Amino acid sequence: AGQRRGLLSAARWQYPTAHEARALSWASIALTTVTSMTGLALAVVGYSAAMLAFALEGLVDVISSFIILWRFSASQAGSAGRESRASAGIGLSFILLGLVVTFASIYHLATREAPEDTVALLVLTIPSSLLLLLLGALKLHVATVLKSRALFEDGVCSLGAGVLSVGIFASVFAYRSDRKIWWLDSVFAFLIALAFILYGTRIVRKYPCLTMQFWRSEGEPKARAADLRERANSSDDGIDLKPIDMDQV
C-alpha cells in the first residue's frame, strides 16, 4: 500500500484495512473503559438496572475489542480460524451479559427500586450515546469492507451500548416527569438483556463451541478452516467471511 493517510482522513476510512480495525479497537477500549467504570459507580449509587446493563455492556465491549485485536494481529489478519473463534467468543460474551442483566433487572423490579441520582445518569448518557453510536457505525463499516463477521458483531456491541444510553436517558427523563413509572428503567434493561441473549445465541449456534478442537489457537487443519467458513457463510446476516486482502494491510 502507499503512504498511510492521517487518522482522521476520510479516504483512509473509505478503504480501511486491518490497521484501521485495530485502531478502532483501541479507541473502543479507551472509551468504554471510562464509560463502563463510571456507569458501574452510578448503577450502585443510583439503583439503576439499565445503568448496570450499560456498565456491564461496556465491559463486554472492552473484552470484544481485545478479541478483535487478537483476531487482527499482524501475523494472523487473514486467518479464517481466528475469525471464527473471535466471533464465537463475542457471542458467548453477549449471552453472559444478557443473563447477568436479566437477573439484575428482575431483582430491581421485585424490590421496587426506583433510579436515584438521575442528574448524574443524564449527564453520562448524553455524550456517551453519541460517541458509542458513532463508534459502532464505524465498526460496521470497516467490518463490511474487510468482510469480518467478528468485527461486525463487535460493532453491534458498541451500537448496543449507544442504544442503552438513549434508553437510560429516556427512562430517567420519564421518571423525573412521573414518579409512578419507576419500573420503566428495569423493564428496559430486561428487554435489552433478552435481545443480547438472543443475538449471542444466534452467533454461537453456528460454531462447535463445546469442542476443544474449535478453540485451539494454532495449527488448524485446512479442511477444518474451510468447514468453519462454510458454516459462517450459510448465515443470512449479510456478512461474507472471506480472507482479507493482505496487500492492503
Side-chain angles (χ1 to χ4, degrees), residues 9-23:
S9 169
R12 177 174 183 174
W13 293 101
Q14 185 178 1
Y15 304 104
T17 66
H19 182 87
E20 280 67 49
R22 293 192 292 269

Side-chain angles (χ1 to χ4, degrees), residues 119-185:
V119 173
L121 295 177
L122 293 175
V123 170
L124 175 64
T125 55
I126 294 173
S128 63
S129 61
L130 297 175
L131 292 173
L132 289 167
L133 290 173
L134 174 61
L135 184 64
L138 274 175
K139 287 182 179 181
L140 295 187
H141 166 67
V142 176
T144 302
V145 174
L146 299 184
K147 297 178 170 53
S148 171
R149 186 180 309 278
L151 183 56
F152 185 88
E153 292 155 2
D154 183 44
V156 172
C157 190
S158 296
L159 286 178
V163 171
L164 266 173
S165 292
V166 174
I168 293 169
F169 175 84
S171 61
V172 170
F173 186 81
Y175 173 69
R176 287 169 63 89
S177 302
D178 184 356
R179 299 286 172 166
K180 293 181 180 179
I181 53 175
W182 58 269
W183 45 265
L184 184 60
D185 176 90

Side-chain angles (χ1 to χ4, degrees), residues 69-87:
L69 287 174
W70 169 80
R71 186 264 173 267
F72 282 103
S73 62
S75 61
Q76 296 288 335
S79 169
R82 284 205 172 196
E83 176 73 27
S84 300
R85 285 184 286 272
S87 177

Side-chain angles (χ1 to χ4, degrees), residues 34-154:
V34 173
T35 56
S36 63
M37 291 297 99
T38 306
L40 187 59
L42 291 178
V44 173
V45 301
Y47 299 103
S48 170
M51 182 55 72
L52 176 62
F54 172 79
L56 295 177
E57 202 279 344
L59 293 178
V60 170
D61 197 312
V62 171
I63 294 171
S64 66
S65 293
F66 274 115
I67 291 175
I68 293 300
L69 287 174
W70 169 80
R71 186 264 173 267
F72 282 103
S73 62
S75 61
Q76 296 288 335
S79 169
R82 284 205 172 196
E83 176 73 27
S84 300
R85 285 184 286 272
S87 177
I90 293 172
L92 290 173
S93 299
F94 269 112
I95 294 174
L96 180 60
L97 167 66
L99 291 174
V100 172
V101 175
T102 296
F103 287 119
S105 58
I106 291 174
Y107 173 80
H108 279 263
L109 287 170
T111 56
R112 300 180 64 87
E113 288 185 349
E116 299 178 4
D117 199 6
T118 54
V119 173
L121 295 177
L122 293 175
V123 170
L124 175 64
T125 55
I126 294 173
S128 63
S129 61
L130 297 175
L131 292 173
L132 289 167
L133 290 173
L134 174 61
L135 184 64
L138 274 175
K139 287 182 179 181
L140 295 187
H141 166 67
V142 176
T144 302
V145 174
L146 299 184
K147 297 178 170 53
S148 171
R149 186 180 309 278
L151 183 56
F152 185 88
E153 292 155 2
D154 183 44

Side-chain angles (χ1 to χ4, degrees), residues 11 20 50 58 68 120 148 169-170 186 212 230 239 248:
E20 280 67 49
I68 293 300
S148 171
F169 175 84
S186 297
M212 289 301 297
E230 184 177 354
I239 298 300
Q248 300 298 320

